[in-house]
Structures are given as structure tokens and as C-alpha cells.
Amino acid sequence: MLDYLKELNEVQREAVVRTEGPSLVIAGAGSGKTRVLTYRIAHLLKQGARPSNILALTFTNKAAREMKDRIGRVAGENVARYLWMGTFHSIFSRILRAEHETIGYPSNFTIYDSSDSKSLIKTIIKDFQLDDKTYKPNVVASRISMAKNNLITPMAYANSPEIRSADKNMRMPAISEIYKEYAKRCRLSGSMDFDDLLLITNLLFRDHEEILKKYQERFGYVLVDEYQDTNYSQYLIIKKLAAKHNNICVVGDDAQSIYSFRGARIENILNFKNDYPDHRVFKLEQNYRSTQTIVNAANSIIARNKKQIPKNVFSENALGKPIKILSALTDNEEGFLVAQEISQLQLRDHYQFEDFAILYRTNAQSRIFEESLRKRNIPYKIYGGLSFYQRKEIKDLLSYFRMTINPDDNEALKRIINYPARGIGQTTVGKLEVSAVSNETSIWRVLTALPEINHSQVNKGTATKLMGFVALIDRFQKLSQESDAFETAKTIAEQTGILKDLYNDKSPEGLSRHENIQELLNGIQEFSISAKEQGDPDKLENYLEDVALLTDQDNEKDEEKNKVTLMTVHSAKGLEFKNVFIVGMEENLFPSQRQGEKATQESLEEERRLFYVALTRAEENAWLSYANQRYRWGNLDFCTPSRFLEELDERYTEGQVPTGVSGRASAEQSNVSYSSPAQRFAQRQPSSSFKTRESQNILNKKLVSLKESGRAQDTFQGDDPGKIQAGMTVQHQRFGEGKVLKIEGIAPDLKATVFFRTTGQKQLLLKFAKLRIKS
DNA sequence: GCTCAGGGCATTTTT
DNA sequence: TGCCCTGAGC
């Protein structure tokens, strides 16, 4: 037997070696799914399949990269390189760029991220003179996204009575028009949003048989990871691509389908057997990750679900310790208990901090645990929040890159035409945009037609400024042709003045922004170097193709090691930790019920699966914690999982509506402070340095102005700002004594915004103020 | 371009 | 409860 096959159990091995025909691999939690996928590909290669004939689709870059690395180790890196392996979006954008002529897009089309889409939708709503309180950009965006993921084109949307009447019921009959206009403007900007990458691929294959054929023939083997998370659009593409050779292998776990809110269809995996009658099923049922106790508890949660593929996930690991319940009266106490458990375990059983994870349902819940961990000096990291690529300074610079590569990109243009400030105000941009829309073209084209078309519309001074901007971008375009990505990027960062602008800002934020830009440039340098080594194209254009599809989970830093992990259950999927705390069990784990909505059978089952996912992240110990009296389950401390689950099942009755008032009432009676979900949500604060929201920049600007007028300092010294409370008398280096009015955003990295009033002075907003508590 | 007040609002998230 | 956006006013 081949060496690598010895590392597999029997079912895994069968799933690996049965390479021909449709295969469905049901991979229970912790059952070695990645291992099967990678070995299967390695096996295909060993059997003589050409790497360029293998298509392997994943949902995240991280998954793709890990798999590629592992295959490289088994089959050789030179072979792994040529695999068509990547995320749905990256693979299809590659195909769309290759086939750009057929679909009528430039090959260098921009990929709009969600904030670009949202801002475009906002603009359209404004242009249509619709009320943006009725037409909420978020809602409109999700309707459009839903349509695209179900392959409903603007035309089909307009022609569907059901959809139109649903829109009417939501008092948004014009969504159809907005969708149409949105699609049009994307096209005029030479841009696609994330959903377009799938939708247009579908249309390409639907309308151009010869192209479909080409790819069908190319991809002799199609493999899909996390199949339960595919949406309709992805499902159809896969189906089409695999239709010729019929060698399709999908891997997934219906019990871990938790993404229906973003279009994932569990039906895709449940119906696989109907789509491919000659399929074979491989059930990976042995869990190698968790103790028996945890596996059994997790199983019993989803046992009542109707929609599922029957399986029997088991563990031969030790029985393990019972699942522990932490009950607390208040959320503060809950945080305290969790932190206490962690430090005890770390000291007593010599766990590393990285062995712990705290999982919650919503990001807003992280705060209390951050505070309690910080009090004990337990290092931690938070996932979720603003990604590196979403930060203002990064988006700004990337927008220059985008303009350089595709100047029709309106969203990028609007972002940077006056950043750094060059005296082109909103009014001017507005005029340009109106002109672009009425001429059915991009703002850039309007600009470059100056002064012929628009001479009358803007005054001479503005026109000069605009031409200056055009010249700048022109220069960058030439540069990008001649130089590699790094050279171009560096020059752009310098010549636009962005680098200098940030360098001059000595506030901590300015510093960190400057660092971020440096980091981005370093990344581009690495890209250029490795592209040269590999003989790949090394232009800015090529870098930009990748970067739109990257997220910050794609570059984890070493300094992030050995810290307790805080994240939502959703983002914990695919990860494992020795010790897992599932917190906020009292209600926040069940938002479908907390809103007072009736839980549907579907939502109920998904909530169960979510809990299943959470629990199966734990290898050795799991805790469930909750923080008020509303759901006090008697003496459940240190109970057995089954007892807990019985209790839980009572709550999981279909259609159960929470008695929102009773929680509050009982809390009042017992004189315990009750924190409602709304209140907790309200406490949401930017909780780490990675969460610099764009809108926070307004605050930052305020700081800068304060600083420039010599009225604020920028670092804390001495006292832990966490100890600073409203009402306290504090000493400020420059202003002397004053009273703290209000504090916002006490973050683990010791930053706070303090509203500060000194005698006879106006109220001051001090970010990162240098304060000393006066005792 | 800044400040201030008022009102609406508030899951889960990858690409 | 606080965040975030907007619009009025300077």
C-alpha cells in the first residue's frame, strides 16, 4: 500500500481511492476531512492525473492554502502549483478574466467589496430621490445579493410577480429599478461585486456552450469543500462543470450548516444523492478531536433535527470530564468566572493560553470577557472586527491602485479624488457624477473629456485641480506598465502624499496607520519577489487581482500566538481548542427567539447545528456559561451533558416565544442587575486595535485638531485607563485637574476616549489622553 | 470644516 | 444604553 494511505482509516481510505464517479463525503466534526481531501488530490496526482485538470474549491483562502501546502508535501510543490485550487471567488474571477471579451468586461475589472457595493447602492438611492430610511442600503444590498445568488437577473427580477409583491409589502417597490441601475453602473465602472463573480460565471456557462465545454473538458476532477455551505449559484456552476466527466467529490457536513443567512443551502448536500444517482457515500464518523463526552453531547443536540443525513459520529478518545455549566448572576460575574477558570486551569494543568477559546453568538458579547481577561492579565486576541483590508488608510491606497489599473472604477475615484485634500469638493464630484450618469459612462471618462464637455460646469480653478488629478493617475498608469507591483505601489504611496500625511501624524492612530501602509507595502514587496522567483507576472495589476479576495485571516502574525481566542461560533468553524467556553448561553445564543419572533423549524434546526459546531470545537473541556436568572436551570452546575440537554430541549420547542418581560421582572425582584440583549448590544465598543472603524476617523480627526492646537496629549502613562471611571477626578498633564464626564471604548490595548471637563474650560474630547487618577 | 443635538437603530460573515 | 448619521448653525 502507498505510504500515505496507511495514515488513513478504512472509510477515509476508500473515500480517497475511489476517484471516479460522484462521491459524497460526509465528514463529521473532527473526522479528518481536510486529510481526506488532500490525500484524495495527492492520490489523483500519483495516479497520473494532471494537476491542471483538477479543480478544488474551498470557501476561504486559508483552507485553500493549507490544502495546497499539504498536497505539496505529499506530491511535490511543483505539481501542487498547477492545481486549480482556491476559493470559489478566486477561481471564477480567474476564469472571468480569461473570458472577459465574451462577457464584455475589461480583463482588469475591479472587484467591489461589500462596502463599495453599499456605497454605490446608497448613491443610487439618492439619485432616485428615494427616502433612505425606507430604502435602507443594507436591506437593498441583501435583496440584490439574494437575487444574484439565486441567478435572478435584473430583468428576471422585474418580471417576477412574487418578488415584486414581496418588495411592495416591504414598501420598497423600487428595488427592482435600483438593482437594474446598480448592475448598469457596475458594468460602466468595469466592476463586479462578489456575487457577480458567481452570477456572471453562471451566465457565461449558460450562454456560451463552447466555453462551458472547454472548462468541462479541462476539469476532469472536481472537488468541493464545505459543500453544505454552497449557495444556489455555486451549486449550479459546480454541477455544470462536473457534468462531462462526472468525477465530482463533495465534502461536507450537513450538521455544520450554519450559513443559511448568507444563502447557503443545506439542500445542496441533502439532495446530492438525487443529483447523482450513481454516487457513493462515505461517512467519516470517527471523531479524532474530542472526548466521548463532548461528542455525545454534541450528537444529542442535533439528534432531533429532521433535515439531516443519518450518521453516527463517535469518539474512541477518553470519556473525558463532564461538560461544566457556569451560572452567574450578572454578565460581569460571568466574565469573572470564565477568566478565573482559565487562569486556574492554566496554572494547575499547565495549559497554554492558546489552548482556550471563548465562543459567543454575537461580537457585541466580547466586551465583558475582554475586560475580565484584562484584569487578570490574560493575553487574548479577538477575531472579527474590521479587517486589515477594510481600514481607511488601506482602502485609500488600494483605491489609488484600483484607479491606476481600472480608471473607470467610480467608487475608487470618489474615495480618493480629494484625498489627500486637493480642493475638489463634493459639489464638483456631484456634478461629475451627474454628467457620468447622463452620458452613461464613468466619471473618469467625463474627467478626461475635460475641458471639451464640462468646461462650462466647473470653474477654471477646479478644472485645473481636476486635470492635476488626471495627470497624477496618468503618471501612475504609465509607471504601472513599466515597473513591478512593489515599485509602482511604493511610488504611488509616496507621490500621492499618503505616506507623508500619515508620517506627520504622530498620534497612536496615525502611527498605526503608517505602520499599516508599510505592512501593505511589505506584502506587495513579497508578492513582487515571489512572482519573480516563480516566473509569474509581477505587475500591480496582478497583485490587485488577488488582494480584493483576501481577508485579514489570511495573514496571521506570530505575535498573535499564545493568547486566548475570542470569536463568534461562526468564525470558529474548522478550528479546534483544548478548552472551549460557550458563553452567553442564557439567550444570546438564540437570537431567533430573543427577538420575539417565532422560531421556524429551519431556524431552530440551524440554531441546534450552531450549538453543535460550538461544542465540537472542544477537544478536552467544554463549559457552558450564562449570566442571569431568566433561565436558571436549578442546580445544574457540574451536571451531566444529558441533563443539560434535556433542559435545553425544553427551550428548543418549535414556535416558542420568549417571555421577554419575565426575565426583567425576575431580575428586578431579586435585585439583580439584568442586562438585556439590547443593553449588551449597546455596550458594544471597538474592542481591539484591529477594530479601528472608518467612522472612528471622525473622532481621530477631532483628536488631531486638538493636538495641533496643543490641547491634547496622546499616550497614557502610569495608570491603567481601565480604572478610570466617569465622575473621577483626574490629572491631565497640560490642563491640570478635571472631571471625567464619560468614557468610551476602553480597549485592551489601553486606549480610551475621555470626555474631560476642567474648570472654566469647554468640554474636551481626549483620545488616548495622558491622565492620572487623583486619589 | 467643525460642533452639537436629536433620532433611529441594534445577529451570525466569507469573498 | 450608546453608536452613527444627519442637519442646523457657526
Side-chain angles (χ1 to χ4, degrees):
Chain A
M1 198 192 296
L2 291 157
D3 265 1
Y4 56 90
L5 291 180
K6 286 183 196 150
E7 297 170 30
L8 301 170
N9 70 29
E10 206 179 318
V11 192
Q12 288 174 333
R13 198 181 311 123
E14 280 175 30
V16 165
V17 299
R18 201 260 188 177
T19 56
E20 309 301 305
S23 300
L24 169 62
V25 181
I26 301 293
S31 64
K33 175 192 72 160
T34 313
R35 174 170 281 219
V36 166
L37 257 176
T38 51
Y39 283 26
R40 186 178 166 99
I41 294 169
H43 189 70
L44 280 168
L45 294 170
K46 285 261 153 102
Q47 301 244 302
R50 291 178 48 187
S52 58
N53 290 344
I54 297 173
L55 172 67
L57 297 167
T58 63
F59 272 83
T60 63
N61 293 303
K62 200 174 157 202
R65 201 172 336 104
E66 275 173 16
M67 229 185 294
K68 213 166 199 170
D69 286 350
R70 281 167 79 162
I71 294 166
R73 263 176 267 144
V74 183
E77 273 177 35
N78 273 333
V79 186
R81 253 190 84 191
Y82 296 100
L83 289 166
W84 282 75
M85 172 173 275
T87 62
F88 282 88
H89 292 83
S90 71
I91 296 285
F92 298 140
S93 76
R94 189 169 154 192
I95 291 179
L96 290 175
R97 285 189 203 281
E99 310 296 338
H100 69 99
E101 280 173 8
T102 315
I103 53 171
Y105 270 87
S107 72
N108 54 14
F109 62 79
T110 304
I111 297 171
Y112 276 177
D113 68 19
S114 351
S115 71
D116 296 319
S117 314
K118 222 179 94 183
S119 122
L120 177 53
I121 287 169
K122 248 184 170 162
T123 310
I124 295 171
I125 290 172
K126 250 197 191 127
D127 287 356
F128 281 9
Q129 300 187 323
L130 296 166
D131 177 17
D132 64 355
K133 277 172 190 128
T134 327
Y135 288 87
K136 287 179 205 140
N138 272 328
V139 177
V140 177
S142 82
R143 288 290 284 173
I144 293 176
S145 171
M146 176 279 299
K148 286 185 175 178
N149 286 330
N150 286 295
L151 257 49
I152 299 163
T153 57
M155 178 111 76
Y157 197 102
N159 291 335
S160 158
E162 295 87 29
I163 296 177
R164 298 301 297 277
S165 82
D167 284 351
K168 268 198 197 107
N169 288 338
M170 290 193 295
R171 300 230 209 100
M172 290 187 276
I175 292 184
S176 165
E177 291 300 310
I178 298 173
Y179 180 18
K180 196 171 144 198
E181 183 66 19
Y182 174 75
K184 187 170 153 193
R185 291 203 196 175
C186 281
R187 197 167 262 273
L188 289 174
S189 303
S191 306
M192 295 193 196
D193 65 19
F194 290 134
D195 302 320
D196 282 334
L197 294 174
L198 307 173
L199 171 69
I200 298 176
T201 304
N202 260 304
L203 300 181
L204 172 75
F205 289 157
R206 185 193 71 189
D207 300 335
H208 302 276
E209 207 178 320
E210 70 295 348
I211 292 176
L212 173 61
K213 246 188 176 160
K214 181 168 90 187
Y215 288 99
Q216 281 180 333
E217 261 153 42
R218 174 172 306 165
F219 300 133
Y221 298 92
V222 177
L223 299 97
V224 187
D225 191 18
E226 306 278 14
Y227 192 64
Q228 78 283 351
D229 287 339
T230 49
N231 62 32
Y232 182 64
S233 197
Q234 291 160 328
Y235 160 83
L236 265 194
I237 299 175
I238 299 161
K239 199 171 173 198
K240 279 183 180 156
L241 282 177
K244 168 108 200 303
H245 295 283
N246 219 23
N247 293 328
I248 177 171
C249 171
V250 303
V251 183
D253 182 7
D254 56 298
Q256 294 183 65
S257 168
I258 54 174
Y259 281 110
S260 69
F261 66 90
R262 65 177 197 216
R265 303 195 337 164
I266 192 173
E267 288 77 18
N268 291 346
I269 196 164
L270 300 180
N271 293 339
F272 187 85
K273 55 183 189 298
N274 305 331
D275 287 336
Y276 302 93
D278 58 335
H279 73 291
R280 275 196 59 185
V281 181
F282 303 93
K283 289 184 187 172
L284 310 182
E285 294 175 309
Q286 180 164 4
N287 174 308
Y288 294 96
R289 179 190 297 155
S290 313
T291 62
Q292 283 189 37
T293 302
I294 288 165
V295 169
N296 292 341
N299 280 341
S300 70
I301 295 166
I302 49 163
R304 294 163 143 237
N305 280 5
K306 292 190 183 106
K307 272 192 187 172
Q308 60 173 317
I309 296 170
K311 58 185 123 7
N312 174 35
V313 178
F314 65 95
S315 168
E316 286 182 359
N317 295 343
L319 189 61
K321 284 179 240 159
I323 292 170
K324 278 146 281 182
I325 311 279
L326 294 176
S327 75
L329 290 180
T330 65
D331 46 2
N332 271 315
E333 191 188 339
E334 185 184 2
F336 174 84
L337 290 175
V338 170
Q340 190 182 45
E341 285 282 327
I342 291 177
S343 51
Q344 278 178 2
L345 248 86
Q346 186 250 343
L347 288 172
R348 196 185 59 209
D349 298 345
H350 306 292
Y351 282 111
Q352 299 292 306
F353 288 124
E354 64 192 3
D355 294 332
F356 295 91
I358 299 176
L359 307 182
Y360 35 78
R361 177 64 207 254
T362 69
N363 284 313
Q365 288 167 274
S366 69
R367 200 190 119 263
I368 207 85
F369 298 96
E370 288 175 59
E371 274 178 17
S372 59
L373 292 174
R374 204 158 53 81
K375 277 185 191 147
R376 286 180 179 266
N377 286 325
I378 298 173
Y380 64 89
K381 57 182 166 184
I382 297 186
Y383 283 76
L386 212 53
S387 96
F388 181 77
Y389 299 98
Q390 299 279 49
R391 283 174 220 189
K392 183 195 178 310
E393 63 275 15
I394 301 297
K395 280 210 82 171
D396 288 338
L397 187 52
L398 286 177
S399 292
Y400 273 102
F401 299 168
R402 281 161 57 175
M403 277 302 287
T404 302
I405 302 307
N406 170 22
D408 290 331
D409 183 339
N410 279 351
E411 293 305 312
L413 182 141
K414 283 197 276 178
R415 208 183 160 92
I416 54 164
I417 191 162
N418 199 32
Y419 178 82
R422 46 174 78 87
I424 303 174
Q426 274 194 324
T427 324
T428 309
V429 178
K431 280 183 195 163
L432 293 170
E433 202 170 17
V434 168
S435 175
V437 170
S438 61
N439 288 303
E440 306 215 329
T441 185
S442 66
I443 296 177
W444 174 256
R445 283 172 206 241
V446 171
L447 267 182
T448 47
L450 270 173
E452 292 83 0
I453 292 181
N454 282 290
H455 200 62
S456 56
Q457 287 184 25
V458 295
N459 64 43
K460 215 170 169 190
T462 312
T464 315
K465 287 170 189 160
L466 288 175
M467 295 325 288
F469 176 71
V470 171
L472 186 73
I473 300 294
D474 269 342
R475 207 149 18 104
F476 293 157
Q477 289 181 333
K478 287 200 190 75
L479 180 71
S480 73
Q481 302 291 318
E482 297 153 6
S483 317
D484 67 15
F486 177 59
E487 194 58 40
T488 313
K490 200 174 118 219
T491 311
I492 292 178
E494 282 163 3
Q495 292 197 2
T496 52
I498 292 182
L499 214 51
K500 206 174 129 209
D501 195 44
L502 295 175
Y503 183 76
N504 290 334
D505 183 354
K506 296 292 182 202
S507 70
E509 283 123 326
L511 229 58
S512 107
R513 286 200 204 131
H514 190 256
E515 274 168 21
N516 287 338
I517 296 282
Q518 288 296 355
E519 202 180 315
L520 184 75
L521 290 175
N522 289 343
I524 300 174
Q525 188 168 28
E526 272 169 39
F527 168 85
S528 284
I529 292 171
S530 96
K532 283 198 185 74
E533 279 172 7
Q534 309 258 345
D536 292 335
D538 63 355
K539 294 277 185 280
L540 187 66
E541 182 181 347
N542 311 107
Y543 171 76
L544 215 51
E545 279 171 22
D546 293 342
V547 79
L549 300 171
L550 288 183
T551 61
D552 59 340
Q553 303 215 355
D554 295 330
N555 37 22
E556 195 168 352
K557 293 179 225 147
D558 286 348
E559 64 210 60
E560 293 295 297
K561 279 185 183 147
N562 201 21
K563 293 183 176 178
V564 174
T565 303
L566 275 69
M567 56 167 69
T568 62
V569 179
H570 280 92
S571 42
K573 198 161 97 172
L575 304 177
E576 57 187 24
F577 302 89
K578 293 206 169 77
N579 306 296
V580 168
F581 292 83
I582 308 172
V583 301
M585 290 294 294
E586 72 280 3
E587 56 185 329
N588 276 314
L589 198 64
F590 315 110
S592 64
Q593 294 195 20
R594 84 176 172 199
Q595 296 294 332
E597 304 159 10
K598 278 202 171 181
T600 62
Q601 180 67 33
E602 277 75 28
S603 72
L604 208 60
E605 298 205 345
E606 184 156 323
E607 294 299 326
R608 287 202 190 112
R609 293 195 292 266
L610 192 67
F611 191 12
Y612 175 88
V613 169
L615 214 43
T616 52
R617 296 314 98 195
E619 296 172 61
E620 294 170 13
N621 297 304
W623 288 260
L624 309 169
S625 79
Y626 64 97
N628 68 38
Q629 303 200 317
R630 182 155 147 209
Y631 295 116
R632 195 128 75 124
W633 301 309
N635 292 319
L636 287 184
D637 297 51
F638 300 93
C639 71
T640 60
S642 63
R643 174 81 185 96
F644 171 75
L645 292 161
E646 267 170 42
E647 295 280 342
L648 197 74
D649 269 338
E650 285 169 24
R651 290 190 46 209
Y652 265 105
T653 315
E654 189 179 352
Q656 183 182 318
V657 183
T659 47
V661 197
S662 79
R664 210 176 288 265
S666 71
E668 276 161 17
Q669 281 156 17
S670 59
N671 212 10
V672 167
S673 83
Y674 169 77
S675 152
S676 76
Q679 284 166 338
R680 284 182 183 219
F681 189 84
Q683 286 164 10
R684 172 163 67 170
Q685 274 156 9
S687 35
S688 82
S689 59
F690 301 103
K691 276 194 173 177
T692 317
R693 287 154 194 253
E694 249 178 81
S695 49
Q696 254 187 323
N697 292 317
I698 299 162
L699 282 182
N700 301 340
K701 275 190 203 144
K702 286 182 192 169
L703 169 71
V704 171
S705 71
L706 277 171
K707 254 190 50 163
E708 278 166 0
S709 58
R711 292 193 294 162
Q713 293 292 311
D714 42 41
T715 45
F716 272 109
Q717 243 183 14
D719 288 312
D720 175 356
K723 288 182 192 147
I724 295 178
Q725 305 274 326
M728 261 180 184
T729 307
V730 288
Q731 186 76 31
H732 184 277
Q733 221 194 17
R734 189 172 303 241
F735 308 128
E737 205 172 291
K739 207 163 194 181
V740 176
L741 296 180
K742 191 164 86 166
I743 300 191
E744 284 173 8
I746 306 168
D749 45 358
L750 310 189
K751 293 175 182 173
T753 307
V754 179
F755 291 91
F756 184 77
R757 194 195 295 279
T758 59
T759 38
Q761 248 176 332
K762 247 188 115 186
Q763 178 179 324
L764 290 179
L765 175 83
L766 303 178
K767 210 164 162 62
F768 314 136
K770 206 179 241 177
L771 297 172
R772 241 168 226 291
I773 300 169
K774 278 213 75 167
S775 45

